[in-house]
């Protein structure tokens, strides 16, 4: 079995989902984030795909380091308690948005 992966679609989909998640978290937390910083934060997860590393290392980088940097850069958070709350909310929002998108896929193909 062979798969065709279109990198432009993969990057655009990843970037837009991360942007929407950061935008949802921004609505909850009063922070000084702009659309440019949200876009810069959402590009970080696309950058990790360029580094050749084992799968387990990539998962550790994605789940801890990249999402932490995405939260700090995208939302411009400076204090640790607010960062921790935003980081937890980032995971909750991505879980919720992933469920909504899976549900919508049933109806829109």
């Amino acid at each position: 079995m062979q798969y065709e992966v279109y990198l432009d679609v993969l990057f655009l989909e990843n970037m837009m989902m991360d942007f929407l998640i950061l935008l949802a978290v921004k609505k909850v937390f009063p922070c000084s984030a702009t659309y440019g910083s949200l876009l810069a934060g959402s590009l970080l997860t696309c950058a990790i795909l360029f580094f050749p590393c084992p799968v387990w290392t990539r998962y550790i980088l994605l789940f801890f380091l990249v999402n932490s940097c995405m939260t700090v850069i995208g939302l411009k958070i400076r204090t640790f308690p607010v960062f921790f709350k935003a980081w937890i909310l980032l995971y909750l929002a991505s879980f919720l948005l992933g469920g909504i998108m899976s549900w919508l896929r049933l109806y829109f193909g």
Side-chain angles (χ1 to χ4, degrees):
M1 180 178 253
Q2 202 172 18
Y3 291 104
E4 288 186 25
V5 177
Y6 297 103
L7 289 178
D8 54 345
V9 175
L10 178 75
F11 289 140
L12 184 64
E13 184 179 345
N14 245 348
M15 186 185 64
M16 287 308 297
M17 289 298 291
D18 290 338
F19 183 80
L20 289 174
I21 291 168
L22 283 174
L23 192 64
V25 173
K26 180 188 178 288
K27 294 292 182 187
V28 173
F29 285 103
C31 55
S32 63
T34 61
Y35 289 121
S37 66
L38 292 175
L39 187 63
S42 64
L43 287 173
L44 283 173
T45 54
C46 295
I48 197 66
L49 297 174
F50 285 118
F51 297 113
C53 58
V55 175
W56 63 272
T57 308
R58 186 170 290 153
Y59 281 131
I60 290 173
L61 287 174
L62 279 174
F63 287 132
F64 296 109
L65 182 68
V66 173
N67 286 338
S68 299
C69 291
M70 184 171 73
T71 306
V72 170
I73 292 171
L75 298 175
K76 294 184 179 178
I77 293 176
R78 301 294 175 229
T79 61
F80 184 75
V82 176
F83 161 74
F84 187 69
K85 291 176 187 175
W87 192 64
I88 295 297
L89 188 62
L90 182 85
Y91 274 106
L92 291 175
S94 53
F95 178 74
L96 180 66
L97 194 59
I100 290 171
M101 292 298 174
S102 295
W103 179 73
L104 288 175
R105 187 176 296 188
L106 293 173
Y107 296 105
F108 293 110

